[in-house]
Amino acid sequence: MDGVELQILWSNMIGIVSEQARALQRIAFSPIVREAGDLANGLFDEKARMVAQAVTGTPGHINSLAAAARNLLKDYDPASLKPGDVLITNDPWMSAGHFFDITVLSPIFRNGRIIAYAGSTIHHSDIGGYGIGSGARDIHEEGLWIPTMKLYEEGRPNETLFQIIKRNVRTPDALMGDLGAQVSSGMIASERLNALCDRYGLEDISELSEAIITKSETATRDAIRKLPAGTYHGSSKFDVPGGEVIELKTAVTIDAEKGEIEIDFEGSSGPSAMGINVVPAYTHAYATFAVRSTLNPDLPNNAGSLTPIKLKLPEECVVNAKYPSPVNARHVVGMYVPFPILKALAQVVPDAVVAEGSGAVWTVQIQGRDADGKPFTSSMFNYSGGMGARATKPGISAVCYPTGVSAVPVEVLEASYPIAFTCKELEHGTGGAGKQPGGDGQRIGYKMRTDRPWLLNTIPSRLTSGPEGLLGGSDGAAGSFKINGKSVSDTRKKEMQPDDEVMMVTPGGGGYGAA
């Protein structure tokens, strides 16, 4: 197909997958999906290669979803699937790295055969077990493990699986509602893709997907070939809940002849006893995002553009989690994965990278009973620190690179749960100085509207040392976490009293270049 035809069809594909994501957000029950956009939607060809992704979502979900489609179809022979079938799993090693992220994959049929798949991954409000924090001692304490199964079979719900899920979670209505939103979004994608084929006289999308993926891979390899060959090193250190210090080391090897980049994590910290270990798919998701956003951010993100980026993971490593390691708070380490890669790439393309930012979003989950005795369990809600500065622009305040998830508005949280915010404001001066200053963190205070004890699960990081500046820029400020004015470092799930007040100050981003 010629370039004009390809561009028209590509625009239609993006429209389909973006409508799929918007429908999911509109229908979803949980604020973390509806308001914050903690989700991913993708369209896959009949070979389960990701062709297009929605314009909203987080890299950890989107690039993990790219692997999840292939993994799901290893357990189910595509030839056995029927119209109306919907596959599901939350296996951390098959999908996005912890039980809260449930992946749903729907085959799209045309004239009796599969021409594509619609997939989605979203963060669910609760999956039983310990909750969103890092305190579980092995994965079986962390919640309900759903192997690859059929959620729907020829349009009929799997009632046994539905009952198992509902009896193992604290908020079954919200979870089943969000699952329904995922299934509905897949149905919309099927309708729109078949309408596209009708409109342009296509029997399937095999030629279209091959053209898109091939062009994306070629363009990515060409971008890599422009870089000087060699191996470049970077490292990043940060503290996690409980005071443990994690170090991630990378050796980034540019093979200009092949047009490939290999990222080796040899020398990084070993597995953690806390639930912050990262499965390979999630490590790959954020590693590829770091490279893609630096070299060719305008290219489509699909199977082709991801293929030239390879990972090498040591066997005993915090970013290569092995069963039965706890992984529920895997984002605490996973969202730091880009920083050592960017430090290595700063030696090659200094104008295209960002300084270290605050790292992982600070997540909060609250549980208890309100003043009327009604039980509540929140989905997690997130707060960002400052982003690291760029070569020509300051870092953005209260925006967390590399995730794309937003904060749930205070008004929505206060309407949904018995929580009252005492402050939410920028913490000026926390960004590191430099030719371009880092972004500022923020101050968030809250207490509960209840006369009963309640449970707090939260995961701050960088409480002892702030993000490093880059190329002469100053470091950003470390964060702080206080309960009733007293600093707390061990933030695993704890019982709180009705009048307790929490105060969080997230870290600032590192500066870029000497001031």
Side-chain angles (χ1 to χ4, degrees):
M1 56 185 66
D2 63 36
V4 174
E5 183 181 11
L6 179 60
Q7 184 61 46
I8 291 171
L9 292 170
W10 169 246
S11 297
N12 276 265
M13 292 281 282
I14 291 296
I16 290 170
V17 76
S18 295
E19 183 179 354
Q20 180 187 351
R22 286 194 299 271
L24 174 52
Q25 280 191 275
R26 285 197 303 268
I27 302 169
F29 279 43
S30 300
I32 189 67
V33 179
R34 191 178 64 247
E35 304 289 343
D38 200 359
L39 57 90
N41 285 87
L43 272 175
F44 303 81
D45 66 9
E46 76 281 0
K47 299 177 184 177
R49 299 179 299 176
M50 187 171 74
V51 182
Q53 64 162 78
V55 294
T56 186
T58 73
H61 283 153
I62 290 166
N63 291 347
S64 296
L65 179 60
R70 294 192 305 272
N71 292 334
L72 281 160
L73 294 174
K74 289 176 183 176
D75 285 354
Y76 271 92
D77 181 1
S80 70
L81 297 177
K82 302 287 196 309
D85 285 354
V86 178
L87 302 181
I88 182 176
T89 190
N90 72 342
D91 187 317
W93 283 273
M94 293 187 70
S95 184
H98 68 175
F99 289 151
F100 288 91
D101 289 333
I102 298 180
T103 295
V104 167
L105 188 72
S106 304
I108 297 175
F109 282 82
R110 182 172 177 81
N111 299 325
R113 66 185 183 91
I114 294 174
I115 63 166
Y117 298 88
S120 65
T121 300
I122 70 171
H123 183 99
H124 284 261
S125 56
D126 180 70
I127 198 67
Y130 181 85
I132 192 60
S134 58
R137 291 160 295 186
D138 72 32
I139 194 167
H140 293 287
E141 293 183 348
E142 293 188 322
L144 176 66
W145 192 331
I146 306 171
T148 306
M149 300 185 72
K150 286 186 179 180
L151 183 66
Y152 283 81
E153 188 163 7
E154 295 187 66
R156 298 186 301 273
N158 183 340
E159 294 293 351
T160 301
L161 178 57
F162 272 48
Q163 290 302 317
I164 290 172
I165 293 173
K166 285 193 259 189
R167 289 304 298 267
N168 279 277
V169 302
R170 301 175 183 90
T171 54
D173 290 343
L175 191 144
M176 300 313 295
D178 286 347
L179 277 180
Q182 288 184 265
V183 174
S184 297
S185 73
M187 295 169 65
I188 288 171
S190 177
E191 292 173 2
R192 299 297 185 267
L193 189 63
N194 271 288
L196 169 70
C197 292
D198 290 340
R199 190 160 58 247
Y200 293 100
L202 304 176
E203 290 299 315
D204 54 40
I205 63 165
S206 57
E207 183 182 355
L208 174 60
S209 67
E210 192 65 41
I212 291 169
I213 290 171
T214 300
K215 284 181 177 293
S216 299
E217 180 175 348
T218 299
T220 301
R221 292 187 185 277
D222 288 345
I224 294 172
R225 289 189 179 102
K226 295 177 183 177
L227 303 176
T231 299
Y232 306 88
H233 297 270
S235 67
S236 183
K237 283 186 178 181
F238 50 94
D239 59 278
V240 296
E244 181 181 1
V245 175
I246 300 294
E247 182 174 16
L248 298 181
K249 291 185 175 182
T250 57
V252 178
T253 300
I254 298 170
D255 187 332
E257 184 177 347
K258 292 182 179 179
E260 291 183 354
I261 287 180
E262 181 188 77
I263 305 167
D264 188 348
F265 284 85
E266 185 66 43
S268 298
S269 294
S272 174
M274 301 184 70
I276 59 173
N277 300 287
V278 188
V279 302
Y282 198 77
T283 303
H284 183 269
Y286 274 110
T288 51
F289 176 74
V291 175
R292 292 269 295 105
S293 62
T294 299
L295 296 186
N296 46 9
D298 295 329
L299 273 181
N301 190 60
N302 55 37
S305 54
L306 297 176
T307 295
I309 306 168
K310 315 292 185 182
L311 256 62
K312 186 176 181 182
L313 301 174
E315 280 299 308
E316 295 295 319
C317 185
V318 70
V319 291
N320 188 16
K322 304 292 186 182
Y323 170 84
S325 297
V327 295
N328 254 1
R330 51 62 173 128
H331 71 282
V332 173
V333 171
M335 289 181 184
Y336 284 94
V337 162
F339 294 137
I341 299 171
L342 293 173
K343 288 181 179 178
L345 292 175
Q347 302 163 50
V348 182
V349 282
D351 291 343
V353 300
V354 300
E356 277 191 349
S358 58
V361 290
W362 288 19
T363 61
V364 178
Q365 186 180 44
I366 49 176
Q367 298 173 355
R369 292 180 178 270
D370 63 19
D372 297 324
K374 182 181 178 181
F376 65 87
T377 296
S378 78
S379 178
M380 72 176 194
F381 44 99
N382 306 304
Y383 294 107
S384 301
M387 178 179 166
R390 297 156 286 181
T392 59
K393 297 178 182 179
I396 307 171
S397 297
V399 168
C400 184
Y401 176 94
T403 185
V405 68
S406 304
V408 178
V410 166
E411 296 83 357
V412 173
L413 291 172
E414 289 186 334
S416 302
Y417 311 111
I419 188 172
F421 285 83
T422 56
C423 70
K424 188 174 187 294
E425 58 196 18
L426 290 180
E427 189 73 358
H428 295 293
T430 49
K435 182 179 179 183
Q436 297 293 341
D440 288 329
Q442 57 180 318
R443 176 180 293 267
I444 309 104
Y446 55 91
K447 54 199 314 184
M448 301 304 296
R449 304 191 309 270
T450 181
D451 57 1
R452 306 162 187 258
W454 54 284
L455 294 175
L456 174 66
N457 224 348
T458 186
I459 320 169
S461 56
R462 285 209 193 278
L463 293 178
T464 59
S465 60
E468 289 185 4
L470 185 65
L471 300 177
S474 298
D475 296 350
S480 71
F481 184 89
K482 295 182 179 181
I483 298 176
N484 299 327
K486 182 180 178 181
S487 294
V488 177
S489 60
D490 186 353
T491 58
R492 287 173 288 188
K493 185 187 287 188
K494 58 180 72 232
E495 185 175 84
M496 306 285 286
Q497 298 307 309
D499 294 330
D500 287 345
E501 181 177 6
V502 179
M503 186 65 67
M504 310 188 310
V505 179
T506 58
Y512 186 106

